């Protein structure tokens, strides 16, 4: 395969702050011109400090103009903000962590904000169960779905509902160490196709450290899992063709951590490295937006001045890659191997 993706620009977009990280990216759903992107990220003193706030940066892709908004909860650390859109409201979810100054007791909750303009945001709404991190939420047929993880329990549970109200348990232990012997599944991204089939990629941080690819159909209580033989941290993906996905996340090549983009096949469960973005050290946690021939990638890295900054990379060549993938699919269709595990 000839990989024609080209980096046209990598621009720092984070405002001032010691540690700007953990990004997500979405095409502004309220901009009919399709000329603006919204990027959210956490700004704090460092990776685990208790002062995290959410910054929303609106970027005009033509002029490069940027505006910023700040979402904060006094005495709460807001971590890993993510976008989702229900068709009318743009929603940001984040993991909120509070440590009592007198007792040292730690409380964690999920929190959501919504906007109908992209320029102002609602008051915070708490939801979810303490200790369970609902990583990334995807809407399908007027319902929001997402996997929550808990390190001590070493499993992920599927939840469904509405982050502006509440999400409810749909499948306990979709992956678990107890049932599948897969150690510490955690961060994930779930997508749905036109037939409502669900596809999810799940990061793991134990034993082989290899990510898992899962499939399910309504009501999403039975999952088939395949090993991707590759570590993927903070995974995000978008549908490319019927059986191919663009995946971005943190890569480990045995020597260093970088932010990478892969082509994922859902037929032979392979990940082909397409590109490594300028990155090193504390980095990755990307967001993806595909517009015509252009792929926009938000991510963070400390590769320039050893300070974690948020960057927006602009790549071209998506049309050429798409045509090549379609041609290869006509020439050779891989026979899927038998699922290794069923939950």
């Amino acid at each position: 395969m000839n990989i024609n993706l080209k980096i046209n620009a990598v621009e720092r977009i984070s405002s001032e702050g010691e540690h700007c990280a953990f990004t997500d990216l979405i095409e502004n759903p309220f901009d009919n011109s399709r000329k603006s992107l919204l990027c959210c990220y956490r700004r704090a003193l460092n990776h685990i400090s208790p002062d995290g706030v959410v910054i929303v940066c609106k970027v005009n892709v033509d002029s490069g103009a940027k505006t910023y908004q700040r979402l904060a909860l006094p005495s709460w650390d807001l971590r890993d903000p993510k976008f989702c859109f229900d068709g009318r409201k743009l929603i940001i979810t984040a993991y909120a962590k509070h440590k009592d100054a007198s007792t040292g007791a730690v409380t964690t909750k999920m929190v959501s904000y919504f906007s109908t303009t992209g320029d102002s945001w609602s008051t915070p709404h708490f939801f979810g169960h303490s200790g369970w991190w609902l990583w990334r939420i995807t809407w399908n047929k007027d319902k929001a779905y997402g996997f929550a993880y808990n390190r001590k329990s070493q499993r992920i549970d599927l939840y469904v509902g509405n982050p502006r109200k509440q999400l409810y348990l749909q499948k306990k232990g979709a992956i678990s160490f107890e049932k599948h012997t897969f150690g510490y599944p955690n961060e994930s991204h779930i997508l749905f196709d036109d037939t409502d089939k669900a596809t999810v990629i799940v990061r793991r941080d134990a034993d082989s450290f290899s990510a898992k690819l899962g499939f399910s159909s309504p009501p999403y209580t039975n999952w088939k899992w395949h090993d991707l033989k590759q570590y993927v941290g903070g995974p995000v993906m978008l549908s490319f063709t019927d059986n191919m996905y663009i995946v971005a996340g943190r890569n480990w090549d045995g020597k260093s951590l970088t932010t990478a983009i892969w082509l994922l096949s859902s037929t032979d469960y392979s990940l082909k490295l397409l590109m490594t973005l300028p990155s090193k050290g504390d980095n990755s946690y990307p967001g993806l937006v595909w517009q015509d021939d252009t792929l926009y990638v938000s991510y963070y890295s400390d590769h320039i001045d050893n300070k974690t900054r948020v960057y927006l990379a602009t790549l071209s060549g998506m049309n050429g890659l798409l045509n090549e993938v379609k041609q290869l699919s006509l020439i050779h269709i891989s026979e899927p191997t038998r699922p290794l595990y069923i939950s």
Side-chain angles (χ1 to χ4, degrees):
M1 176 183 288
N2 297 316
I3 301 170
N4 297 313
L5 287 182
K6 177 184 176 183
I7 299 177
N8 294 329
V10 177
E11 179 188 7
R12 172 185 164 182
I13 62 171
S14 54
S15 55
E16 293 303 317
E18 288 296 313
H19 193 277
C20 296
F22 315 122
T23 82
D24 198 19
L25 189 69
I26 193 170
E27 182 178 319
N28 186 351
F30 310 112
D31 179 4
N32 292 330
S33 72
R34 301 188 69 194
K35 296 299 183 181
S36 60
L37 305 175
L38 296 174
C39 177
C40 61
Y41 59 90
R42 175 181 179 266
R43 188 179 72 194
L45 183 62
N46 58 50
H47 195 105
I48 56 172
S49 58
D51 60 335
V53 300
V54 172
I55 303 297
V56 182
C57 174
K58 180 163 70 173
V59 182
N60 184 293
V61 297
D62 283 347
S63 68
K66 304 171 191 64
T67 58
Y68 297 89
Q69 301 166 68
R70 178 177 177 270
L71 305 178
L73 278 175
S75 77
W76 289 81
D77 175 22
L78 299 183
R79 307 189 62 86
D80 293 274
K82 301 287 186 293
F83 289 116
C84 65
F85 184 59
D86 69 1
R88 294 179 302 163
K89 293 180 173 65
L90 179 62
I91 301 167
I92 290 177
T93 58
Y95 189 68
K97 185 176 181 180
H98 171 74
K99 185 175 182 179
D100 189 278
S102 58
T103 66
V106 175
T107 302
T108 63
K109 297 181 179 181
M110 295 301 300
V111 65
S112 68
Y113 302 82
F114 74 86
S115 176
T116 56
T117 63
D119 296 315
S120 61
W121 296 85
S122 70
T123 57
H125 168 72
F126 287 113
F127 69 101
H129 300 284
S130 183
W132 286 87
W133 196 323
L134 236 168
W135 185 253
R136 184 184 287 273
I137 290 172
T138 304
W139 285 85
N140 185 54
K141 299 291 178 66
D142 299 321
K143 293 181 180 179
Y145 295 83
F147 283 98
Y149 71 89
N150 176 279
R151 183 168 190 167
K152 184 177 181 180
S153 299
Q154 291 210 68
R155 74 171 197 260
I156 59 171
D157 296 346
L158 180 65
Y159 284 80
V160 60
N162 187 328
R164 295 190 295 110
K165 298 176 182 179
Q166 187 59 272
L167 274 80
Y168 301 94
L169 182 65
Q170 182 78 359
K171 171 63 177 180
K172 179 180 178 180
I175 289 183
S176 69
F177 178 76
E178 180 181 8
K179 183 175 182 178
H180 307 97
T181 69
F182 299 157
Y184 192 21
N186 49 90
E187 301 158 1
S188 63
H189 189 190
I190 183 172
L191 294 178
F192 299 89
D193 66 14
D194 293 339
T195 68
D196 297 325
K197 178 182 177 181
T199 301
V200 62
I201 185 170
V202 180
R203 168 184 173 175
R204 292 193 315 114
D205 285 86
D207 49 82
S208 68
F209 283 72
S210 54
K212 297 292 181 180
L213 183 66
F215 305 99
S216 186
S217 297
Y220 312 113
T221 52
N222 293 305
W223 289 83
K224 298 178 181 179
W225 297 101
H226 307 271
D227 193 274
L228 293 178
K229 300 180 176 61
Q230 169 70 50
Y231 171 78
V232 183
V236 60
M237 62 178 178
L238 56 82
S239 297
F240 198 48
T241 67
D242 288 343
N243 59 357
M244 304 292 279
Y245 300 84
I246 299 294
V247 173
R250 180 182 287 167
N251 184 29
W252 169 249
D253 62 6
K255 296 180 180 179
S256 60
L257 294 168
T258 54
T259 301
I261 302 171
W262 294 271
L263 184 66
L264 168 64
S265 168
S266 63
T267 55
D268 64 10
Y269 323 118
S270 63
L271 273 172
K272 180 179 179 58
L273 182 65
L274 296 177
M275 177 174 290
T276 299
L277 296 174
S279 52
K280 76 169 184 63
D282 190 4
N283 76 95
S284 194
Y285 288 72
L288 293 174
V289 168
W290 176 20
Q291 288 184 345
D292 304 318
D293 191 50
T294 302
L295 181 67
Y296 296 100
V297 187
S298 65
Y299 70 106
Y300 80 97
S301 177
D302 65 10
H303 65 286
I304 291 182
D305 55 5
N306 294 318
K307 293 284 189 179
T308 50
R309 316 290 194 188
V310 173
Y311 297 91
L312 180 65
T314 305
L315 283 61
S316 61
M318 290 292 285
N319 289 340
L321 180 63
L322 180 61
N323 289 336
E324 187 171 1
V325 167
K326 288 180 176 179
Q327 290 172 5
L328 288 174
S329 297
L330 292 174
I331 295 171
H332 174 69
I333 300 176
S334 300
E335 289 293 331
T337 56
R338 186 176 181 179
L340 298 179
Y341 306 94
I342 299 178
S343 66

